[in-house]
């Protein structure tokens, strides 16, 4: 008899050791992942291990109390474990039954504690009948959970089906043996020992569910990888769409800028032609020979104007050569009444400016100022110490207001804005009207064509 008892004790040590190992593994998983399922399952293992490992150290009264309360407490934890593991919150109908079963077990546990500590009902035969009913309810609740597991159409549920099935079988056999021989019958032969059979079933359940948790963790890891891959694909798709949208926007901006530049350049041609024809009309009446010379010079100037209409920028040296021809036209018309002065540093001749800029400024000066032999109009084109181009004239405003078509200085300001350059500085200093223009470096020539700016609003007339 002692040998049989020792054998059971050895088995109990084996059961406690295996439970402790699985408990430690689940507790570590909970510490690392903070997943509630591992905390619940650690409590589940600890509940079984503590019940069989420490109940023998208690007094007979406390042993009876713990044995009576244990199954309801186990059922509460077991159902909660099923809810979390199989995500049964997504199934409201089943959740109502599960919660009702949990509340029923809480009521049974509370009633048992009341019987043991506040009444003597636990000493009557009726209490034993009530315990048997509680055990049967617990078995039915476990069986219901088993049925729910069996209906779940996934591999994860199969681990719980196996574990719960073995646990249910062990509970049924164990409860039957307890009913037959009593709760304290631990000295029966091992194959017929109710506690031994329950512990085998519990250990199988613990191992099966642990495998299920490992499979669940692997599924979650795979799912996270799939989600991250999907997010990466979505980010790449959004980035590709954004790049395509940016490219389309840049193309539209460039097309818009090109159209604006062409429109500004097309404004220069009629503006220049309009003023040139006015001058030619006057010369025809006043001096026909000069008119013929003027026509020859005008043709040379207009050839440059036609070539310049296809370019957004031109070297300053080319623009200066053109303006010298234009000054020749003015000298033909005004003779000594126009005094041009050009003083441009050699290092700036390779800089770039919008075509016909100098012509517009010189024409603007002639249009709005008197040019007489006794009051010559001086027009200077020079570079400043800051590497800018200054075009200035002495102020001799006409007594009669000159009608303007409003494209001169505004045209120049618009071009510099479209090239993403500072606006020209327009000022009146000590009797001189001065326009200071930025000079673009040759390396900047390719960049500005796609940049769009706002017009500065400068009007084509000098301050009155």
């Amino acid at each position: 008899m002692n040998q049989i008892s020792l054998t059971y004790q050895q088995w109990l040590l084996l059961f406690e050791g295996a439970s402790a190992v699985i408990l430690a593994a689940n507790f570590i998983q909970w510490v690392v992942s903070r997943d509630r399922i591992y905390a619940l399952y650690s409590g589940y293992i600890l509940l079984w291990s503590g019940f069989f490992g420490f109940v023998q150290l208690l007094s007979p009264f406390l042993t009876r109390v713990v044995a009576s309360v244990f199954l309801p407490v186990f059922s509460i934890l077991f159902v909660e474990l099923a809810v979390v593991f199989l995500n049964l919150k997504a199934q409201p109908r089943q959740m109502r039954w599960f919660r009702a079963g949990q509340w029923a077990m809480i009521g049974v546990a509370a009633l048992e504690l009341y019987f043991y500590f506040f009444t003597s009902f636990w000493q009557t035969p009726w209490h034993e009948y009530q315990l048997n009913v509680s055990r049967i309810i617990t078995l039915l609740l476990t069986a219901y959970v088993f049925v729910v597991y069996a209906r779940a159409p996934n591999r994860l549920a199969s681990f719980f089906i196996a574990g719960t099935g073995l646990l249910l079988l062990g509970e049924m056999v164990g409860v039957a043996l307890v009913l037959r021989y009593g709760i304290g019958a631990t000295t029966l032969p091992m194959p017929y020992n109710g506690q031994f059979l329950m512990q085998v079933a519990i250990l199988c359940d613990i191992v099966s569910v642990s495998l299920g948790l490992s499979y669940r963790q692997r599924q979650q890891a795979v799912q996270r990888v799939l989600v991250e891959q999907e997010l990466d694909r979505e980010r790449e798709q959004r980035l590709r769409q954004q790049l395509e949208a940016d490219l389309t926007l840049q193309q539209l901006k460039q097309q818009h800028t090109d159209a604006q530049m062409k429109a500004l350049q097309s404004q220069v041609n009629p503006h220049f032609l309009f003023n040139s024809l006015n001058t030619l009309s006057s010369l025809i009446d006043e001096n026909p020979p000069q008119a013929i010379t003027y026509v020859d010079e005008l043709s040379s100037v207009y050839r440059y104007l036609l070539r310049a209409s296809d370019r957004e920028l031109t070297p300053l040296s080319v623009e200066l050569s053109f303006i010298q021809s234009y000054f020749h036209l003015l000298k033909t018309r005004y003779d000594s009444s126009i005094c041009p002065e050009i003083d441009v540093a050699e290092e700036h001749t390779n800089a770039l400016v919008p075509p016909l800029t100098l012509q517009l400024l010189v024409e603007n000066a002639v249009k709005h100022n008197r040019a007489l032999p006794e009051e010559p109009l001086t027009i200077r084109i020079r570079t400043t110490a800051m590497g800018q181009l200054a075009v200035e004239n002495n102020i001799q405003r006409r007594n009669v207001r000159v009608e303007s078509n409003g494209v001169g200085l505004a045209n120049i300001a618009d071009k510099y804005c479209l090239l993403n350059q500072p606006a020209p500085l327009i000022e009146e200093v000590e009797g001189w009207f001065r326009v200071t223009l930025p000079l673009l470096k040759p390396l900047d020539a390719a960049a500005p064509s796609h940049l769009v700016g706002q017009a500065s609003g400068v009007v084509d007339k000098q301050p009155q």
Side-chain angles (χ1 to χ4, degrees):
M1 201 68 167
N2 290 335
Q3 185 177 0
I4 294 176
S5 178
L6 180 62
T7 302
Y8 174 75
Q9 293 299 326
Q10 290 176 344
W11 160 254
L12 184 59
L13 289 175
L14 178 62
F15 171 79
E16 293 292 338
S19 300
V21 171
I22 300 175
L23 174 63
N26 279 276
F27 182 76
I28 293 173
Q29 286 288 350
W30 175 73
V31 171
V32 172
S33 65
R34 292 297 177 181
D35 192 341
R36 182 167 174 258
I37 187 69
Y38 291 106
L40 288 173
Y41 200 58
S42 296
Y44 179 79
I45 298 172
L46 188 61
L47 187 66
W48 282 118
S49 177
F51 176 75
F52 291 108
F54 300 102
V55 72
Q56 301 179 34
L57 305 177
L58 303 176
S59 64
F61 173 74
L62 291 178
T63 299
R64 191 176 184 88
V65 173
V66 172
S68 299
V69 175
F70 175 79
L71 281 180
V73 175
F74 154 75
S75 298
I76 296 169
L77 188 57
F78 179 76
V79 170
E80 189 63 25
L81 190 65
V83 168
V84 177
F85 191 88
L86 296 180
N87 193 26
L88 296 180
K89 288 184 178 181
Q91 304 177 31
R93 183 178 178 182
Q94 292 180 348
M95 275 298 300
R96 286 195 295 269
W97 285 103
F98 277 25
R99 292 306 184 205
Q102 286 179 311
W103 282 109
M105 292 299 102
I106 291 174
V108 170
L111 190 62
E112 286 298 317
L113 292 175
Y114 176 77
F115 287 157
Y116 279 106
F117 290 101
F118 298 100
T119 70
S120 59
F121 179 75
W122 62 275
Q123 296 176 336
T124 65
W126 292 102
H127 180 254
E128 191 65 28
Y129 295 137
Q130 183 264 332
L131 280 179
N132 293 336
V133 172
S134 299
R135 295 183 183 112
I136 292 172
I137 293 174
T138 302
L139 289 175
L140 292 175
L141 183 59
T142 307
Y144 178 70
V145 174
F146 176 80
V147 172
V148 173
Y149 286 163
R151 290 179 179 178
N154 57 66
R155 186 177 299 178
L156 184 62
S158 63
F159 293 97
F160 270 76
I161 292 172
T164 305
L166 292 172
L167 180 63
L168 185 61
L169 181 62
E171 284 184 350
M172 293 174 63
V173 174
V175 168
L177 291 174
V178 168
L179 293 176
R180 176 66 179 83
Y181 298 107
I183 195 170
T186 60
T187 59
L188 293 174
M190 291 293 287
Y192 308 103
N193 188 309
Q195 292 194 15
F196 166 73
L197 294 176
M198 289 187 66
Q199 289 164 7
V200 171
I202 292 166
L203 193 58
C204 291
D205 176 50
I206 290 174
V207 172
S208 180
V209 176
S210 296
L211 293 174
L213 288 176
S214 299
Y215 178 76
R216 174 177 177 270
Q217 185 179 15
R218 179 178 175 276
Q219 275 190 323
Q220 289 178 338
V222 172
Q223 186 66 25
R224 283 194 297 269
V225 171
L226 293 177
V227 170
E228 290 175 359
Q229 290 177 347
E230 183 64 25
L231 290 176
D232 289 340
R233 283 194 293 268
E234 290 180 0
R235 283 193 291 266
E236 290 176 359
Q237 181 68 18
R238 286 196 296 268
L239 180 59
R240 189 182 307 111
Q241 293 174 350
Q242 183 64 38
L243 291 175
E244 291 175 354
D246 290 343
L247 180 60
T248 302
L249 181 61
Q250 290 298 328
Q251 291 174 344
L252 291 175
K253 284 184 177 180
Q254 185 169 356
Q255 293 173 2
H256 181 64
T257 303
D258 292 343
Q260 284 185 299
M261 291 294 293
K262 293 297 182 183
L264 291 173
Q265 289 171 349
S266 66
Q267 288 178 346
V268 173
N269 298 343
H271 181 262
F272 173 68
L273 181 61
F274 173 79
N275 288 281
S276 299
L277 292 177
N278 283 340
T279 302
L280 180 59
S281 177
S282 299
L283 284 176
I284 290 173
D285 293 334
E286 297 174 4
N287 194 331
Q290 281 189 346
I292 295 174
T293 304
Y294 188 85
V295 169
D296 293 337
E297 294 294 340
L298 181 60
S299 64
S300 299
V301 169
Y302 215 89
R303 279 195 297 272
Y304 173 79
L305 187 149
L306 292 175
R307 291 194 302 268
S309 64
D310 295 329
R311 296 193 299 268
E312 296 177 3
L313 293 169
T314 189
L316 179 59
S317 58
V318 175
E319 186 76 358
L320 289 173
S321 298
F322 161 72
I323 205 61
Q324 287 175 345
S325 297
Y326 186 73
F327 273 135
H328 186 78
L329 292 180
L330 293 178
K331 294 290 288 183
T332 301
R333 169 68 177 86
Y334 294 101
D335 196 19
S336 61
S337 299
I338 298 292
C339 296
E341 298 179 3
I342 299 177
D343 182 18
V344 175
E346 182 67 25
E347 63 267 21
H348 297 303
T349 55
N350 290 330
L352 302 175
V353 294
L356 305 177
T357 299
L358 297 182
Q359 183 266 336
L360 284 172
L361 293 175
V362 171
E363 185 182 42
N364 192 62
V366 174
K367 183 191 302 184
H368 297 286
N369 292 276
R370 298 188 306 275
L372 302 172
E374 63 275 12
E375 294 181 297
L377 177 64
T378 300
I379 301 176
R380 294 175 183 167
I381 301 176
R382 61 183 178 84
T383 50
T384 67
M386 300 297 294
Q388 297 175 310
L389 185 67
V391 180
E392 56 190 1
N393 63 271
N394 57 327
I395 299 174
Q396 299 181 153
R397 294 187 178 91
R398 294 178 182 269
N399 295 327
V400 180
R401 180 180 178 87
V402 178
E403 184 179 355
S404 171
N405 55 13
V407 295
L409 294 178
N411 186 297
I412 297 172
D414 288 344
K415 285 186 177 181
Y416 272 96
C417 254
L418 288 171
L419 295 171
N420 200 28
Q421 297 296 319
L425 176 62
I426 302 174
E427 56 187 345
E428 187 176 319
V429 181
E430 298 179 355
W432 288 82
F433 180 80
R434 180 182 302 148
V435 178
T436 304
L437 304 167
L439 291 175
L440 283 71
K441 296 180 181 179
L443 293 178
D444 297 336
S449 64
H450 67 280
L451 301 173
V452 181
Q454 297 290 332
S456 65
V458 181
V459 296
D460 181 26
K461 63 178 182 178
Q462 298 189 9
Q464 300 297 322

